[in-house]
Every structure is written in structure tokens, then in C-alpha cells.
Amino acid sequence: RLQGPNRLGGAAPPRFLVMLDDESFVRLGPLHNVVSRLPRRRVYAGAIMDSLEVSKEAEPHSVVQTYPFALGLGFVLSWDLVLHLAESGLPLKTDGGDDIMLGMWLSSLANLQYFDLSVVFHAHPGENTHLSRDCSPDSVIIHGATEARCEAQPWCCSCF
């Protein structure tokens, strides 16, 4: 059983869980601004996708529909969803990308609220992906902002 409030020493339970990839950086002020505007229940927020481009030999660059999921660079779950997953006792499928699996697990829940935050949850321009964009004062999570990239492109990392 998760007992976050007791372990964290606070009287009130946490409102959200924020998951970050090990190559992601988070700006706490903008993160607080974003989560303070979210509802408190049934929230799944991040750079939400509902399909993937898959390269196969037979069908190069084919698009595969998936369950909506937040890309693994980082996402936010309301605490009620965290407790549901932890306490459900369901044998959840675990083979596959963790971001896609989480989307699959959550897809069966009624009244799940998806919030696409891909404008402020994005990749560093040096990553050259569809989520790459320059940093801004509103940037919350930036994936791939390595020390070398920040030295090479200080204009992007200056918001840290």
C-alpha cells in the first residue's frame, strides 16, 4: 500500500506524481504553474500521442494506432490514478515501452482526463524530433538538454 503522505511527512496526500526520463530536466516553477491549474482527479498529462510512426522493412514509416499515452520524456498523474495502479492488484502487462504500457493500463478507466502539454513538455532542439523546440520561460520539461548541448546552444538552456 502506498502511504506517500506519511513517508513525506505531510498531513495532506500528494496531489500528483511527476515522472521524468533520466535525460529530462524539469523547471519547478513552471511545473507548479501547470499542475496548479489541473483538476485533481483522473488526470493524465504530458506530451500525449495516440499513434506511432513505426519503421518496418515491409512497410517503412507506417502509422500504428495505440492507446493515448504520454511520451516517456515526462508526465503527470493525479494521485488517485497512482493509488489505483498501485492497489488494483491487476496483473498488468509489462513487456513494451513503459510510456505506452501506462497509456494502455489507464485507457480502460472511465472519465480519464487527458491534457496534452507538448507545448511545454518538449525535447531540446538538438534532439531533432517532432517534439524538439527552443526553450522558453514557459518550458516545464526539456528532454535531452545535456551539458554539452547547453554549452553549444546556451540560448536554449538559458531558461534554466
Side-chain angles (χ1 to χ4, degrees):
R1 176 154 168 81
L2 286 179
Q3 296 185 3
N6 294 335
R7 288 196 312 227
L8 297 174
R15 294 181 186 165
F16 297 98
L17 170 88
V18 178
M19 191 293 301
L20 296 173
D21 181 77
D22 62 350
E23 295 177 345
S24 292
F25 293 83
V26 64
R27 298 182 61 235
L28 295 177
L31 175 64
H32 179 265
N33 292 341
V34 167
V35 298
S36 66
R37 293 190 306 258
L38 293 172
R40 297 205 178 162
R41 296 188 45 78
R42 301 277 193 196
V43 170
Y44 183 29
I48 302 292
M49 303 288 294
D50 62 4
S51 62
L52 290 174
E53 186 173 317
V54 180
S55 293
K56 298 179 183 177
E57 280 186 41
E59 300 175 47
H61 305 289
S62 61
V63 175
V64 176
Q65 289 298 119
T66 67
Y67 300 97
F69 69 96
L71 286 171
L73 61 97
F75 54 82
V76 176
L77 284 176
S78 57
W79 193 246
D80 62 312
L81 294 180
V82 173
L83 291 176
H84 174 75
L85 289 171
E87 297 172 352
S88 70
L90 296 174
L92 299 171
K93 181 178 175 178
T94 58
D95 59 329
D98 59 346
D99 49 1
I100 297 171
M101 290 295 102
L102 180 62
M104 185 179 74
W105 299 336
L106 294 174
S107 68
S108 64
L109 298 178
N111 304 315
L112 184 63
Q113 300 178 80
Y114 294 92
F115 292 87
D116 184 11
L117 302 175
S118 58
V119 171
V120 293
F121 286 29
H122 60 84
H124 185 276
E127 292 223 309
N128 198 26
T129 72
H130 71 283
L131 281 179
S132 297
R133 55 183 65 43
D134 290 339
C135 295
S136 77
D138 296 327
S139 295
V140 175
I141 295 176
I142 300 95
H143 185 267
T146 63
E147 186 174 340
R149 284 183 175 151
C150 289
E151 286 176 11
Q153 298 171 317
W155 46 268
C156 178
C157 301
S158 63
C159 64
F160 290 106

PDB file of all heavy atoms in Angstrom, residues 22-53:
ATOM      1  N   ASP A  22      15.337   9.819 -17.442  1.00  0.00           N
ATOM      2  CA  ASP A  22      16.640  10.178 -16.881  1.00  0.00           C
ATOM      3  C   ASP A  22      17.390  11.203 -17.716  1.00  0.00           C
ATOM      4  O   ASP A  22      18.398  11.742 -17.272  1.00  0.00           O
ATOM      5  CB  ASP A  22      17.499   8.935 -16.639  1.00  0.00           C
ATOM      6  CG  ASP A  22      17.826   8.170 -17.907  1.00  0.00           C
ATOM      7  OD1 ASP A  22      17.249   8.460 -18.966  1.00  0.00           O
ATOM      8  OD2 ASP A  22      18.666   7.259 -17.831  1.00  0.00           O
ATOM      9  N   GLU A  23      16.912  11.522 -18.908  1.00  0.00           N
ATOM     10  CA  GLU A  23      17.538  12.560 -19.732  1.00  0.00           C
ATOM     11  C   GLU A  23      16.688  13.828 -19.791  1.00  0.00           C
ATOM     12  O   GLU A  23      16.897  14.675 -20.645  1.00  0.00           O
ATOM     13  CB  GLU A  23      17.769  12.034 -21.145  1.00  0.00           C
ATOM     14  CG  GLU A  23      18.763  10.884 -21.202  1.00  0.00           C
ATOM     15  CD  GLU A  23      18.928  10.338 -22.597  1.00  0.00           C
ATOM     16  OE1 GLU A  23      18.106  10.630 -23.481  1.00  0.00           O
ATOM     17  OE2 GLU A  23      19.898   9.597 -22.809  1.00  0.00           O
ATOM     18  N   SER A  24      15.724  13.939 -18.889  1.00  0.00           N
ATOM     19  CA  SER A  24      14.850  15.107 -18.871  1.00  0.00           C
ATOM     20  C   SER A  24      15.207  16.021 -17.710  1.00  0.00           C
ATOM     21  O   SER A  24      15.646  15.572 -16.653  1.00  0.00           O
ATOM     22  CB  SER A  24      13.386  14.685 -18.728  1.00  0.00           C
ATOM     23  OG  SER A  24      12.937  14.028 -19.880  1.00  0.00           O
ATOM     24  N   PHE A  25      14.993  17.292 -17.927  1.00  0.00           N
ATOM     25  CA  PHE A  25      15.190  18.310 -16.910  1.00  0.00           C
ATOM     26  C   PHE A  25      13.849  18.979 -16.657  1.00  0.00           C
ATOM     27  O   PHE A  25      13.081  19.201 -17.580  1.00  0.00           O
ATOM     28  CB  PHE A  25      16.205  19.360 -17.386  1.00  0.00           C
ATOM     29  CG  PHE A  25      17.590  18.800 -17.527  1.00  0.00           C
ATOM     30  CD1 PHE A  25      17.959  18.124 -18.677  1.00  0.00           C
ATOM     31  CD2 PHE A  25      18.511  18.924 -16.505  1.00  0.00           C
ATOM     32  CE1 PHE A  25      19.231  17.587 -18.820  1.00  0.00           C
ATOM     33  CE2 PHE A  25      19.777  18.392 -16.630  1.00  0.00           C
ATOM     34  CZ  PHE A  25      20.142  17.723 -17.786  1.00  0.00           C
ATOM     35  N   VAL A  26      13.584  19.279 -15.398  1.00  0.00           N
ATOM     36  CA  VAL A  26      12.313  19.918 -15.051  1.00  0.00           C
ATOM     37  C   VAL A  26      12.591  21.274 -14.403  1.00  0.00           C
ATOM     38  O   VAL A  26      13.554  21.427 -13.657  1.00  0.00           O
ATOM     39  CB  VAL A  26      11.470  19.029 -14.102  1.00  0.00           C
ATOM     40  CG1 VAL A  26      12.138  18.824 -12.759  1.00  0.00           C
ATOM     41  CG2 VAL A  26      10.080  19.604 -13.921  1.00  0.00           C
ATOM     42  N   ARG A  27      11.758  22.232 -14.737  1.00  0.00           N
ATOM     43  CA  ARG A  27      11.799  23.560 -14.122  1.00  0.00           C
ATOM     44  C   ARG A  27      10.628  23.609 -13.144  1.00  0.00           C
ATOM     45  O   ARG A  27       9.470  23.550 -13.530  1.00  0.00           O
ATOM     46  CB  ARG A  27      11.691  24.628 -15.191  1.00  0.00           C
ATOM     47  CG  ARG A  27      12.873  24.545 -16.175  1.00  0.00           C
ATOM     48  CD  ARG A  27      12.839  25.621 -17.236  1.00  0.00           C
ATOM     49  NE  ARG A  27      12.907  26.926 -16.612  1.00  0.00           N
ATOM     50  CZ  ARG A  27      11.995  27.899 -16.816  1.00  0.00           C
ATOM     51  NH1 ARG A  27      10.971  27.699 -17.616  1.00  0.00           N
ATOM     52  NH2 ARG A  27      12.119  29.054 -16.221  1.00  0.00           N
ATOM     53  N   LEU A  28      10.941  23.679 -11.845  1.00  0.00           N
ATOM     54  CA  LEU A  28       9.924  23.520 -10.815  1.00  0.00           C
ATOM     55  C   LEU A  28       8.895  24.643 -10.785  1.00  0.00           C
ATOM     56  O   LEU A  28       7.706  24.389 -10.571  1.00  0.00           O
ATOM     57  CB  LEU A  28      10.584  23.358  -9.446  1.00  0.00           C
ATOM     58  CG  LEU A  28      11.411  22.082  -9.290  1.00  0.00           C
ATOM     59  CD1 LEU A  28      12.080  22.032  -7.926  1.00  0.00           C
ATOM     60  CD2 LEU A  28      10.565  20.842  -9.510  1.00  0.00           C
ATOM     61  N   GLY A  29       9.303  25.890 -11.009  1.00  0.00           N
ATOM     62  CA  GLY A  29       8.343  26.994 -11.011  1.00  0.00           C
ATOM     63  C   GLY A  29       7.274  26.823 -12.084  1.00  0.00           C
ATOM     64  O   GLY A  29       6.070  26.831 -11.782  1.00  0.00           O
ATOM     65  N   PRO A  30       7.677  26.648 -13.347  1.00  0.00           N
ATOM     66  CA  PRO A  30       6.676  26.407 -14.395  1.00  0.00           C
ATOM     67  C   PRO A  30       5.878  25.122 -14.172  1.00  0.00           C
ATOM     68  O   PRO A  30       4.692  25.074 -14.487  1.00  0.00           O
ATOM     69  CB  PRO A  30       7.502  26.333 -15.678  1.00  0.00           C
ATOM     70  CG  PRO A  30       8.704  27.168 -15.388  1.00  0.00           C
ATOM     71  CD  PRO A  30       8.997  26.912 -13.930  1.00  0.00           C
ATOM     72  N   LEU A  31       6.493  24.080 -13.597  1.00  0.00           N
ATOM     73  CA  LEU A  31       5.754  22.848 -13.299  1.00  0.00           C
ATOM     74  C   LEU A  31       4.634  23.149 -12.303  1.00  0.00           C
ATOM     75  O   LEU A  31       3.493  22.735 -12.491  1.00  0.00           O
ATOM     76  CB  LEU A  31       6.679  21.771 -12.743  1.00  0.00           C
ATOM     77  CG  LEU A  31       5.983  20.486 -12.289  1.00  0.00           C
ATOM     78  CD1 LEU A  31       5.319  19.767 -13.452  1.00  0.00           C
ATOM     79  CD2 LEU A  31       6.967  19.573 -11.574  1.00  0.00           C
ATOM     80  N   HIS A  32       4.954  23.880 -11.269  1.00  0.00           N
ATOM     81  CA  HIS A  32       3.928  24.243 -10.278  1.00  0.00           C
ATOM     82  C   HIS A  32       2.806  25.036 -10.935  1.00  0.00           C
ATOM     83  O   HIS A  32       1.621  24.796 -10.654  1.00  0.00           O
ATOM     84  CB  HIS A  32       4.549  25.045  -9.135  1.00  0.00           C
ATOM     85  CG  HIS A  32       3.546  25.447  -8.117  1.00  0.00           C
ATOM     86  ND1 HIS A  32       2.923  26.671  -8.135  1.00  0.00           N
ATOM     87  CD2 HIS A  32       3.035  24.776  -7.060  1.00  0.00           C
ATOM     88  CE1 HIS A  32       2.077  26.745  -7.137  1.00  0.00           C
ATOM     89  NE2 HIS A  32       2.126  25.614  -6.463  1.00  0.00           N
ATOM     90  N   ASN A  33       3.152  25.975 -11.819  1.00  0.00           N
ATOM     91  CA  ASN A  33       2.126  26.759 -12.514  1.00  0.00           C
ATOM     92  C   ASN A  33       1.194  25.868 -13.325  1.00  0.00           C
ATOM     93  O   ASN A  33      -0.010  26.092 -13.365  1.00  0.00           O
ATOM     94  CB  ASN A  33       2.764  27.804 -13.428  1.00  0.00           C
ATOM     95  CG  ASN A  33       3.470  28.888 -12.663  1.00  0.00           C
ATOM     96  OD1 ASN A  33       3.227  29.098 -11.482  1.00  0.00           O
ATOM     97  ND2 ASN A  33       4.385  29.569 -13.330  1.00  0.00           N
ATOM     98  N   VAL A  34       1.744  24.856 -13.980  1.00  0.00           N
ATOM     99  CA  VAL A  34       0.931  23.959 -14.811  1.00  0.00           C
ATOM    100  C   VAL A  34       0.041  23.072 -13.947  1.00  0.00           C
ATOM    101  O   VAL A  34      -1.167  22.996 -14.161  1.00  0.00           O
ATOM    102  CB  VAL A  34       1.823  23.103 -15.743  1.00  0.00           C
ATOM    103  CG1 VAL A  34       1.041  21.962 -16.355  1.00  0.00           C
ATOM    104  CG2 VAL A  34       2.422  23.974 -16.836  1.00  0.00           C
ATOM    105  N   VAL A  35       0.623  22.388 -12.956  1.00  0.00           N
ATOM    106  CA  VAL A  35      -0.182  21.442 -12.180  1.00  0.00           C
ATOM    107  C   VAL A  35      -1.207  22.145 -11.296  1.00  0.00           C
ATOM    108  O   VAL A  35      -2.251  21.574 -10.996  1.00  0.00           O
ATOM    109  CB  VAL A  35       0.673  20.446 -11.357  1.00  0.00           C
ATOM    110  CG1 VAL A  35       1.525  19.595 -12.261  1.00  0.00           C
ATOM    111  CG2 VAL A  35       1.485  21.136 -10.304  1.00  0.00           C
ATOM    112  N   SER A  36      -0.953  23.382 -10.915  1.00  0.00           N
ATOM    113  CA  SER A  36      -1.934  24.087 -10.077  1.00  0.00           C
ATOM    114  C   SER A  36      -3.212  24.405 -10.848  1.00  0.00           C
ATOM    115  O   SER A  36      -4.243  24.674 -10.242  1.00  0.00           O
ATOM    116  CB  SER A  36      -1.329  25.356  -9.488  1.00  0.00           C
ATOM    117  OG  SER A  36      -1.045  26.288 -10.503  1.00  0.00           O
ATOM    118  N   ARG A  37      -3.152  24.360 -12.179  1.00  0.00           N
ATOM    119  CA  ARG A  37      -4.345  24.622 -12.997  1.00  0.00           C
ATOM    120  C   ARG A  37      -5.063  23.338 -13.419  1.00  0.00           C
ATOM    121  O   ARG A  37      -6.120  23.401 -14.028  1.00  0.00           O
ATOM    122  CB  ARG A  37      -3.947  25.431 -14.241  1.00  0.00           C
ATOM    123  CG  ARG A  37      -3.476  26.837 -13.901  1.00  0.00           C
ATOM    124  CD  ARG A  37      -3.309  27.693 -15.141  1.00  0.00           C
ATOM    125  NE  ARG A  37      -2.458  27.113 -16.153  1.00  0.00           N
ATOM    126  CZ  ARG A  37      -1.202  27.464 -16.385  1.00  0.00           C
ATOM    127  NH1 ARG A  37      -0.622  28.379 -15.648  1.00  0.00           N
ATOM    128  NH2 ARG A  37      -0.510  26.893 -17.339  1.00  0.00           N
ATOM    129  N   LEU A  38      -4.497  22.185 -13.103  1.00  0.00           N
ATOM    130  CA  LEU A  38      -5.118  20.913 -13.481  1.00  0.00           C
ATOM    131  C   LEU A  38      -6.161  20.494 -12.441  1.00  0.00           C
ATOM    132  O   LEU A  38      -6.016  20.797 -11.259  1.00  0.00           O
ATOM    133  CB  LEU A  38      -4.058  19.809 -13.572  1.00  0.00           C
ATOM    134  CG  LEU A  38      -3.019  19.925 -14.680  1.00  0.00           C
ATOM    135  CD1 LEU A  38      -1.945  18.852 -14.503  1.00  0.00           C
ATOM    136  CD2 LEU A  38      -3.667  19.833 -16.045  1.00  0.00           C
ATOM    137  N   PRO A  39      -7.201  19.768 -12.893  1.00  0.00           N
ATOM    138  CA  PRO A  39      -8.118  19.170 -11.917  1.00  0.00           C
ATOM    139  C   PRO A  39      -7.336  18.192 -11.040  1.00  0.00           C
ATOM    140  O   PRO A  39      -6.218  17.801 -11.370  1.00  0.00           O
ATOM    141  CB  PRO A  39      -9.133  18.416 -12.778  1.00  0.00           C
ATOM    142  CG  PRO A  39      -8.912  18.860 -14.167  1.00  0.00           C
ATOM    143  CD  PRO A  39      -7.545  19.432 -14.261  1.00  0.00           C
ATOM    144  N   ARG A  40      -7.918  17.772  -9.956  1.00  0.00           N
ATOM    145  CA  ARG A  40      -7.187  16.919  -9.020  1.00  0.00           C
ATOM    146  C   ARG A  40      -7.452  15.437  -9.180  1.00  0.00           C
ATOM    147  O   ARG A  40      -6.785  14.624  -8.553  1.00  0.00           O
ATOM    148  CB  ARG A  40      -7.513  17.330  -7.591  1.00  0.00           C
ATOM    149  CG  ARG A  40      -7.051  18.741  -7.338  1.00  0.00           C
ATOM    150  CD  ARG A  40      -6.783  18.983  -5.914  1.00  0.00           C
ATOM    151  NE  ARG A  40      -6.302  20.349  -5.756  1.00  0.00           N
ATOM    152  CZ  ARG A  40      -6.306  20.973  -4.630  1.00  0.00           C
ATOM    153  NH1 ARG A  40      -6.759  20.368  -3.559  1.00  0.00           N
ATOM    154  NH2 ARG A  40      -5.850  22.197  -4.560  1.00  0.00           N
ATOM    155  N   ARG A  41      -8.415  15.062 -10.003  1.00  0.00           N
ATOM    156  CA  ARG A  41      -8.753  13.642 -10.142  1.00  0.00           C
ATOM    157  C   ARG A  41      -8.740  13.221 -11.605  1.00  0.00           C
ATOM    158  O   ARG A  41      -9.067  13.995 -12.479  1.00  0.00           O
ATOM    159  CB  ARG A  41     -10.124  13.367  -9.538  1.00  0.00           C
ATOM    160  CG  ARG A  41     -10.159  13.626  -8.022  1.00  0.00           C
ATOM    161  CD  ARG A  41     -11.440  13.194  -7.352  1.00  0.00           C
ATOM    162  NE  ARG A  41     -11.952  11.897  -7.724  1.00  0.00           N
ATOM    163  CZ  ARG A  41     -11.489  10.719  -7.277  1.00  0.00           C
ATOM    164  NH1 ARG A  41     -10.483  10.684  -6.441  1.00  0.00           N
ATOM    165  NH2 ARG A  41     -12.034   9.580  -7.674  1.00  0.00           N
ATOM    166  N   ARG A  42      -8.346  11.941 -11.795  1.00  0.00           N
ATOM    167  CA  ARG A  42      -8.378  11.313 -13.123  1.00  0.00           C
ATOM    168  C   ARG A  42      -7.580  12.088 -14.165  1.00  0.00           C
ATOM    169  O   ARG A  42      -8.003  12.225 -15.304  1.00  0.00           O
ATOM    170  CB  ARG A  42      -9.813  11.130 -13.599  1.00  0.00           C
ATOM    171  CG  ARG A  42     -10.676  10.299 -12.697  1.00  0.00           C
ATOM    172  CD  ARG A  42     -10.443   8.864 -13.009  1.00  0.00           C
ATOM    173  NE  ARG A  42     -11.475   8.039 -12.371  1.00  0.00           N
ATOM    174  CZ  ARG A  42     -11.351   6.752 -12.223  1.00  0.00           C
ATOM    175  NH1 ARG A  42     -10.304   6.132 -12.681  1.00  0.00           N
ATOM    176  NH2 ARG A  42     -12.281   6.061 -11.627  1.00  0.00           N
ATOM    177  N   VAL A  43      -6.410  12.593 -13.796  1.00  0.00           N
ATOM    178  CA  VAL A  43      -5.589  13.408 -14.697  1.00  0.00           C
ATOM    179  C   VAL A  43      -4.379  12.620 -15.179  1.00  0.00           C
ATOM    180  O   VAL A  43      -3.643  12.031 -14.389  1.00  0.00           O
ATOM    181  CB  VAL A  43      -5.117  14.705 -14.000  1.00  0.00           C
ATOM    182  CG1 VAL A  43      -4.069  15.433 -14.829  1.00  0.00           C
ATOM    183  CG2 VAL A  43      -6.302  15.611 -13.714  1.00  0.00           C
ATOM    184  N   TYR A  44      -4.198  12.639 -16.495  1.00  0.00           N
ATOM    185  CA  TYR A  44      -3.028  12.056 -17.157  1.00  0.00           C
ATOM    186  C   TYR A  44      -2.549  13.124 -18.132  1.00  0.00           C
ATOM    187  O   TYR A  44      -3.218  13.424 -19.117  1.00  0.00           O
ATOM    188  CB  TYR A  44      -3.446  10.780 -17.869  1.00  0.00           C
ATOM    189  CG  TYR A  44      -2.356   9.992 -18.565  1.00  0.00           C
ATOM    190  CD1 TYR A  44      -1.038  10.010 -18.137  1.00  0.00           C
ATOM    191  CD2 TYR A  44      -2.671   9.197 -19.658  1.00  0.00           C
ATOM    192  CE1 TYR A  44      -0.066   9.260 -18.783  1.00  0.00           C
ATOM    193  CE2 TYR A  44      -1.707   8.431 -20.303  1.00  0.00           C
ATOM    194  CZ  TYR A  44      -0.408   8.472 -19.864  1.00  0.00           C
ATOM    195  OH  TYR A  44       0.552   7.720 -20.494  1.00  0.00           O
ATOM    196  N   ALA A  45      -1.404  13.732 -17.833  1.00  0.00           N
ATOM    197  CA  ALA A  45      -0.934  14.880 -18.608  1.00  0.00           C
ATOM    198  C   ALA A  45       0.502  14.669 -19.069  1.00  0.00           C
ATOM    199  O   ALA A  45       1.310  14.064 -18.378  1.00  0.00           O
ATOM    200  CB  ALA A  45      -1.027  16.151 -17.757  1.00  0.00           C
ATOM    201  N   GLY A  46       0.796  15.181 -20.245  1.00  0.00           N
ATOM    202  CA  GLY A  46       2.131  15.100 -20.813  1.00  0.00           C
ATOM    203  C   GLY A  46       2.063  15.387 -22.298  1.00  0.00           C
ATOM    204  O   GLY A  46       1.096  15.986 -22.775  1.00  0.00           O
ATOM    205  N   ALA A  47       3.076  14.981 -23.026  1.00  0.00           N
ATOM    206  CA  ALA A  47       3.067  15.098 -24.486  1.00  0.00           C
ATOM    207  C   ALA A  47       2.285  13.892 -24.998  1.00  0.00           C
ATOM    208  O   ALA A  47       2.836  12.818 -25.223  1.00  0.00           O
ATOM    209  CB  ALA A  47       4.484  15.129 -25.037  1.00  0.00           C
ATOM    210  N   ILE A  48       0.977  14.064 -25.153  1.00  0.00           N
ATOM    211  CA  ILE A  48       0.067  12.958 -25.439  1.00  0.00           C
ATOM    212  C   ILE A  48       0.114  12.580 -26.920  1.00  0.00           C
ATOM    213  O   ILE A  48       0.014  13.431 -27.793  1.00  0.00           O
ATOM    214  CB  ILE A  48      -1.389  13.315 -25.042  1.00  0.00           C
ATOM    215  CG1 ILE A  48      -1.483  13.688 -23.563  1.00  0.00           C
ATOM    216  CG2 ILE A  48      -2.349  12.170 -25.389  1.00  0.00           C
ATOM    217  CD1 ILE A  48      -1.237  12.569 -22.593  1.00  0.00           C
ATOM    218  N   MET A  49       0.235  11.279 -27.152  1.00  0.00           N
ATOM    219  CA  MET A  49       0.240  10.714 -28.504  1.00  0.00           C
ATOM    220  C   MET A  49      -0.892   9.697 -28.592  1.00  0.00           C
ATOM    221  O   MET A  49      -1.238   9.086 -27.601  1.00  0.00           O
ATOM    222  CB  MET A  49       1.559   9.987 -28.772  1.00  0.00           C
ATOM    223  CG  MET A  49       2.806  10.818 -28.596  1.00  0.00           C
ATOM    224  SD  MET A  49       3.014  12.029 -29.884  1.00  0.00           S
ATOM    225  CE  MET A  49       3.286  10.983 -31.285  1.00  0.00           C
ATOM    226  N   ASP A  50      -1.428   9.514 -29.799  1.00  0.00           N
ATOM    227  CA  ASP A  50      -2.405   8.444 -29.983  1.00  0.00           C
ATOM    228  C   ASP A  50      -2.025   7.534 -31.136  1.00  0.00           C
ATOM    229  O   ASP A  50      -2.771   6.639 -31.510  1.00  0.00           O
ATOM    230  CB  ASP A  50      -3.820   8.981 -30.162  1.00  0.00           C
ATOM    231  CG  ASP A  50      -3.957   9.851 -31.390  1.00  0.00           C
ATOM    232  OD1 ASP A  50      -2.992   9.979 -32.152  1.00  0.00           O
ATOM    233  OD2 ASP A  50      -5.051  10.407 -31.577  1.00  0.00           O
ATOM    234  N   SER A  51      -0.845   7.765 -31.706  1.00  0.00           N
ATOM    235  CA  SER A  51      -0.337   6.891 -32.756  1.00  0.00           C
ATOM    236  C   SER A  51       1.178   6.988 -32.780  1.00  0.00           C
ATOM    237  O   SER A  51       1.766   7.927 -32.252  1.00  0.00           O
ATOM    238  CB  SER A  51      -0.920   7.268 -34.121  1.00  0.00           C
ATOM    239  OG  SER A  51      -0.543   8.581 -34.459  1.00  0.00           O
ATOM    240  N   LEU A  52       1.793   6.013 -33.392  1.00  0.00           N
ATOM    241  CA  LEU A  52       3.248   5.963 -33.520  1.00  0.00           C
ATOM    242  C   LEU A  52       3.628   5.720 -34.967  1.00  0.00           C
ATOM    243  O   LEU A  52       2.945   4.972 -35.666  1.00  0.00           O
ATOM    244  CB  LEU A  52       3.822   4.803 -32.701  1.00  0.00           C
ATOM    245  CG  LEU A  52       3.785   4.900 -31.198  1.00  0.00           C
ATOM    246  CD1 LEU A  52       4.278   3.584 -30.608  1.00  0.00           C
ATOM    247  CD2 LEU A  52       4.656   6.035 -30.723  1.00  0.00           C
ATOM    248  N   GLU A  53       4.706   6.345 -35.378  1.00  0.00           N
ATOM    249  CA  GLU A  53       5.262   6.019 -36.687  1.00  0.00           C
ATOM    250  C   GLU A  53       6.275   4.916 -36.471  1.00  0.00           C
ATOM    251  O   GLU A  53       7.192   5.048 -35.659  1.00  0.00           O
ATOM    252  CB  GLU A  53       5.930   7.236 -37.319  1.00  0.00           C
ATOM    253  CG  GLU A  53       6.387   6.966 -38.718  1.00  0.00           C
ATOM    254  CD  GLU A  53       6.893   8.214 -39.415  1.00  0.00           C
ATOM    255  OE1 GLU A  53       6.265   9.266 -39.283  1.00  0.00           O
ATOM    256  OE2 GLU A  53       7.926   8.103 -40.089  1.00  0.00           O
TER     257      GLU A  53
END
